[in-house]
Structure formats: C-alpha cells, structure tokens
Amino acid sequence: MLRFAAYREGQGRILAAALTTAAAAYVVWKIAESPDQAVQFAFNGLSVGAVYALLALGFTLVYSTVWFFDLYYGAAAAMGAYGVFYLRTSETVGGNHVNNPYVSAVFALVVAGVIAWALHESLFRRLERRSNPTTLRAASGLLAATAGIYTGFVLTNPDHLHMLLSPAAGVTVAVAVGGVVYGVLQRLFVGTAAAPLLIISAIAGCVVGAYCGLLVAGAPGSRLYLSWIVSCLVAGAVGVALYRGLYVYMRQRARSPLIMLVASLGVLLAITAATAIVFESAPRPLPRAFGSDSWALWGGNIKGFNVFTVGVAIAGFAGLLLLLKKTALGRTIRAIGDDEEVAKVVGINTTVVIAIVFFIGAVFAAAAGLLSGHDTAIQPRMGLLLMLKGWIASVVGGIGNLYGAVVGGFALGMVEQFGIWDLAGEWKDVISFLILILFLSFWPRGLLPRG
C-alpha cells in the first residue's frame, strides 16, 4: 500500500509539472504573438488580483485565528459595495427610495450594541472595582446610544455626509496627532513631567483635528470616499455582532467547525436575500470614483483607480504584517491561533481579541467589495463569488500565510486573465475553480505553506 501511495504521489507530481509547463509554454507563445495584448491582460490581472489579495488577507487572518470558514465574509464584501450605493445614490428601487429609514435603524442598533459590548468588555471590567457599577453601566449605555443615534443620522442623511462626519474626522485626527506628538515629546524630553507634554500634545491634536474637520465639512466632493469608510465600518460592526451574538455561543456548545460553517452559510444566504429584497436583483453601477479615465501605457490601458486598488492591497498587507509582528495585539492574535485554550489560561481575553479579528476581516472584505464594485456592476450574489475567489486565492498561496495570501491573490488574478486569452470572459470563473481543484489535488499546502 505504501509503495502504491508513493507511486500515485509521484505520478501526480509528474502530471502537475506537465500541466504547469504546458500552461507556461502557452502563455509565452501568446505573449510573443501579441505583446500589447499581453500587457493589457497583465494590467487587468494586477487590478483583479489586488481585490483577490485583499479578500485573501482578511480571510487568512480570520481562519488562522479561529480555524473555521466564516462565510459571512462574502456578505461583508457585498455590504461594502451596496453600502456605497446606499449612501451615494438618489435612485428609487421598486418605487421606493433606496435610502430606507428602517434599514438605517437596523444598522444603527447594531452599532449601538457593539459599542455597548465593547465598552463593557474594555472599560467596565477594568473600572468595576473602583467605580459604581450602576454608573458605569449608565455611562456605557449613554455612549452606545449616542453612537447609535449618530450612526442613524449619518445613514439617513447621505447628502450631508461630509457635514455629519466632519466632527468624527476631526476627533479621530486630533487623537491620532496628539498620540504621535506625545510619543515624540517623551523621547525628546526624557525625564520631563507628563503634564506639560500632555498639554502640548492636546493643543497640537486639537488644532490639527479642527483644521481637518473644517476641511471635510467644506468638501462635498468627499462624500463618496466618506461612504467607503462608513460602509467598511458598518460591515465590521455587523461582523463583531455576529461573532458575539451567534458564533461565541455556537463555538461553546457545538465544538465543531462544520456547525460553524453551516451557521455562517445561513448568515450569508440571509443577508444576500435581504440585499436582493431591498435593492432588487438587477445589477447596479456605483458612482464614478477618481482615476476612472484610462491611461495608455506600454501598449495597454490602465486606470488610475486600478493602480489605487493595487496600492490598497499592498498597504493592507503591510498593515496586517506590522500588526501581527510588531504589536501586543498581534502577539495575542497569534497566540490564540496557536492554542486558544492556553491563551485563556495566561489571561488573554480571547473573546475580545477574536472580535477584533472579525472586525478587521470584515473591513478587508468590505473594502475589496467596494473596490470591485467601482470596476464592475454590483449585484446581491456578488458576495458569494468574491468569498469563493478569496478562498481560492488563500488555497493557492497557502492558507494561514499572509505572504501566501498576497501571492495567491495576484497569481489567481493573472491566471484568470491570461486563461481567457482565446476564450469568452465568462470562462474565468471556470478557470478559477479548475485551479482550485489542481491545487487541492497536487499542492494542498499552496505556493507558500504556513510555517
């Protein structure tokens, strides 16, 4: 039996090598035949591959932490695209205006619930011994309600998005600048009392934050790009709510990845059906973003927005890598991925850390969805296909490896585009699933296996 298994494995490797060589020879022949068309396919492959890489990065982060396939990931991608449509269109669907107050109220409640839970887990647990628990609960509830009402106003008034979000933008910039300035001053003036440094940092942060807030308030053209941020954050909040409200209990009781897979499949189907009900099934275009005009380069055409998409994928990879390698949060995420029970024993609040992972993963998925939506029309079922493409890219690159996620995403995009050289565009999905079958059969650990 062992000899037979070794023989089959050897035959499989020979077949895989033969297929790879044949595909490479075909591509080289086509490139020599039409260099300009090859350049165009390469540009297209980079653009599509960047979306796949973003999907694979978030998917890899979630999977390598909790070790189950969260199919909500596909719904988050669709929510990112439809969130932009929801906030930036004046169309009516089925005789009703797209911006529905009931839909906005649902998402506002989700945000309020997530904020309340986050405050309870982060502040309440730390301060409960030093403060009145009733006061803490009331303060947390008030802050959560304020955040929910604010979210509701933002979602129901898309025409004033820049005005409504200017205070949030100013506060965010002020906190970030103040923190950076304080860190720099601490290094420059070692031994100095903290109070003067805090005052200087606060003043610098407030000045810069107020300036940025005024800039946003006076820039109505920023509404499209602010809708990107809102869509990604709302998708992330829904991801956290699903984890805390559903997955935590199911993980405690089921103890089976299959049960979790079925549960997340139900979530994906429910959100897809709800999206079809609200927006109908017809494809919808997103508003034109910057860089929509094509550039002629090396015999091919590429849009500035496509270059931006590639930049977002690279920045997302660099940010995740720094998070996992250089921060305390990254170390706890890796510890949970290695052994969650041991992480609990050493005092890590695994529920909170995993919730953060789900939030980050959903934000990556939503970003990929809206970037893809600006390049092609959006439809309710787009999330399922994007989720599958992200999974295929992860398998190709090596599940659990961030480097593999980027390599797999761009490789899949290139193979799809060059694979339809002599075929209709509809064949690219067939090519993707053939690639998945080949890798599962011959390279199940991917191009860059997890170490």
Side-chain angles (χ1 to χ4, degrees):
M1 289 295 293
L2 290 176
R3 289 183 179 180
F4 180 70
Y7 172 77
R8 288 195 62 183
E9 183 178 355
Q11 292 296 312
R13 289 178 179 175
I14 293 173
L15 176 60
L19 290 173
T20 304
T21 303
Y26 171 77
V27 170
V28 170
W29 171 55
K30 297 300 291 185
I31 290 174
E33 187 180 63
S34 179
D36 290 348
Q37 195 169 356
V39 170
Q40 186 61 61
F41 278 125
F43 287 159
N44 295 344
L46 285 173
S47 176
V48 175
V51 172
Y52 295 163
L54 268 178
L55 291 163
L57 282 168
F59 188 87
T60 296
L61 177 67
V62 174
Y63 179 76
S64 61
T65 304
V66 296
W67 299 105
F68 80 86
F69 298 112
D70 178 22
L71 301 186
Y72 162 71
Y73 197 71
M79 286 176 62
Y82 272 96
V84 176
F85 181 76
Y86 184 81
L87 291 170
R88 294 299 304 130
T89 185
S90 58
E91 295 183 20
T92 58
V93 175
N96 300 314
H97 198 279
V98 169
N99 196 281
N100 189 310
Y102 297 106
V103 174
S104 300
V106 169
F107 286 117
L109 288 173
V110 169
V111 171
V114 168
I115 295 294
W117 174 76
L119 289 173
H120 177 270
E121 291 293 326
S122 58
L123 293 179
F124 181 78
R125 290 184 180 276
R126 294 181 182 181
L127 300 177
E128 60 182 345
R129 294 182 180 178
R130 291 176 286 177
S131 304
N132 187 330
T134 304
T135 303
L136 287 175
R137 290 193 184 94
S140 299
L142 180 61
L143 288 173
T146 302
I149 294 170
Y150 181 61
T151 302
F153 272 112
V154 169
L155 294 178
T156 52
N157 294 278
D159 292 336
H160 304 287
L161 203 60
H162 58 300
M163 298 293 294
L164 291 171
L165 287 179
S166 59
V171 171
T172 302
V173 172
V175 171
V177 171
V180 171
V181 171
Y182 182 70
V184 171
L185 291 178
Q186 272 191 319
R187 294 195 175 192
L188 292 177
F189 302 100
V190 179
T192 306
L197 301 184
L198 282 172
I199 293 172
I200 295 172
S201 303
I203 293 172
C206 289
V207 170
V208 178
Y211 178 72
C212 291
L214 290 173
L215 281 180
V216 172
S222 65
R223 286 179 296 171
L224 173 61
Y225 311 110
L226 292 172
S227 72
W228 291 1
I229 298 172
V230 174
S231 299
C232 291
L233 293 178
V234 169
V238 173
V240 174
L242 285 171
Y243 170 71
R244 187 62 188 89
L246 177 64
Y247 296 158
V248 166
Y249 299 107
M250 296 197 71
R251 292 183 76 206
Q252 291 172 349
R253 289 164 174 76
R255 301 282 182 181
S256 170
L258 181 60
I259 300 297
M260 302 301 300
L261 180 68
V262 173
S264 62
L265 175 61
V267 169
L268 171 61
L269 295 177
I271 293 178
T272 301
T275 304
I277 291 170
V278 174
F279 299 101
E280 297 187 351
S281 300
R284 308 280 177 185
L286 290 184
R288 281 171 60 90
F290 70 92
S292 297
D293 298 325
S294 298
W295 304 337
L297 185 65
W298 300 327
N301 293 309
I302 189 170
K303 294 188 291 187
F305 188 78
N306 298 141
V307 178
F308 171 74
T309 302
V310 174
V312 170
I314 295 172
F317 165 70
L320 269 187
L321 196 63
L322 288 174
L323 173 70
L324 294 177
K325 301 291 186 182
K326 301 295 183 180
T327 66
L329 174 61
R331 288 190 288 272
T332 58
I333 291 173
R334 287 187 284 128
I336 293 171
D338 291 336
D339 195 319
E340 185 176 347
E341 296 302 321
V342 172
K344 289 179 181 178
V345 170
V346 299
I348 296 175
N349 190 335
T350 57
T351 303
V352 171
V353 176
I354 294 174
I356 294 172
V357 168
F358 272 82
F359 177 83
I360 296 172
V363 167
F364 269 73
L370 68 88
L371 290 173
S372 175
H374 276 291
D375 218 22
T376 59
I378 63 174
Q379 54 182 334
R381 290 180 295 178
M382 65 180 287
L384 176 60
L385 186 58
L386 285 174
M387 184 270 297
L388 292 172
K389 293 298 181 70
W391 183 58
I392 294 171
S394 298
V395 171
V396 170
I399 293 181
N401 188 330
L402 285 184
Y403 298 96
V406 173
V407 171
F410 282 107
L412 181 62
M414 286 293 188
V415 170
E416 272 191 0
Q417 295 301 315
F418 279 95
I420 60 171
W421 193 310
D422 291 322
L423 300 171
E426 291 79 6
W427 279 87
K428 65 181 180 181
D429 295 334
V430 177
I431 292 170
S432 295
F433 289 110
L434 287 175
I435 292 296
L436 173 64
I437 292 170
L438 287 173
F439 268 83
L440 290 177
S441 300
F442 304 118
W443 300 287
R445 299 184 64 200
L447 297 173
L448 298 174
R450 178 184 170 95

